[in-house]
Amino acid sequence: MADNLQHQAKEVAEFWRSVRAIAGDDDQTVIDTVDGETDAISALRRTVQLAIEAEAHAEAAKALAANYVERRKVLEDRAERYRRAAAAFLQEVGEKSLRLPEATISWRHTGPQIVGEIPSAAGLPDHCVKFQRVKHEPSIKAALEAGETIPGLSLSNGGVGLTVRRA
């Protein structure tokens, strides 16, 4: 769709400029005239609609991902409770292991476990948190703008972006 729109823009550009020269600052006249003679405005509108839809789908996917993370945690906690219950059952009846149709199960001693709610990483001392090295694009851009050399990277001359203000 985007490639088709670029192709249509090339085809309609001269006509657009001639209509603009006649209509002046009257955008609606330009749009109506070009729309009456070509499919370019319809293609443009459809492309903007697709962009809005894609952004909405991206936001929905983001929300679903957060829900799935929460759901995974609930399911992992549930599985752990079932495992503890089965281990407690084996201990109570005096068995170390038992062969069942679903699986062979056995209990074992585990090491010490953390008791209590672990605070956020900000509330822990440095030696109790893991620091992860991740790229930070704003810092990379700032370094390049400051003239620093980073192998394989440079700044472009910029491009064109589209602002969409929904009615």
Side-chain angles (χ1 to χ4, degrees):
M1 182 57 114
D3 290 339
N4 183 35
L5 183 63
Q6 288 176 342
H7 178 71
Q8 286 191 7
K10 288 179 182 179
E11 288 182 355
V12 78
E14 188 174 327
F15 178 60
W16 185 283
R17 285 190 285 273
S18 66
V19 173
R20 173 60 77 187
I22 295 167
D25 290 341
D26 188 353
D27 289 344
Q28 196 59 52
T29 297
V30 174
I31 290 169
D32 290 344
T33 303
V34 172
D35 192 31
E37 296 295 322
T38 71
D39 292 332
I41 300 299
S42 296
L44 177 62
R45 290 184 64 207
R46 182 64 184 139
T47 301
V48 170
Q49 290 168 351
L50 290 171
I52 291 169
E53 287 177 19
E55 289 165 355
H57 284 293
E59 282 299 313
K62 184 178 175 182
L64 283 173
N67 287 343
Y68 288 148
V69 166
E70 291 176 26
R71 182 71 179 142
R72 186 186 98 213
K73 178 69 173 133
V74 167
L75 292 171
E76 287 172 346
D77 289 348
R78 182 181 301 162
E80 184 56 31
R81 284 193 310 274
Y82 290 150
R83 286 174 170 273
R84 283 196 308 265
F89 178 89
L90 288 179
Q91 286 180 307
E92 188 65 36
V93 298
E95 295 289 336
K96 178 75 175 158
S97 67
L98 193 59
R99 185 180 304 233
L100 300 173
E102 296 78 11
T104 298
I105 60 172
S106 61
W107 65 269
R108 59 180 164 55
H109 289 287
T110 61
Q113 303 294 313
I114 297 171
V115 177
E117 187 70 28
I118 299 173
S120 70
L124 293 170
D126 284 350
H127 68 279
C128 294
V129 295
K130 178 180 170 182
F131 293 95
Q132 188 175 10
R133 185 179 180 99
V134 295
K135 63 184 175 186
H136 185 244
E137 290 188 32
S139 298
I140 295 169
K141 183 179 178 189
L144 290 170
E145 287 172 340
E148 187 175 329
T149 301
I150 301 175
L153 298 178
S154 63
L155 290 174
S156 72
N157 291 331
V160 176
L162 178 70
T163 300
V164 178
R165 285 185 225 88
R166 294 171 61 182

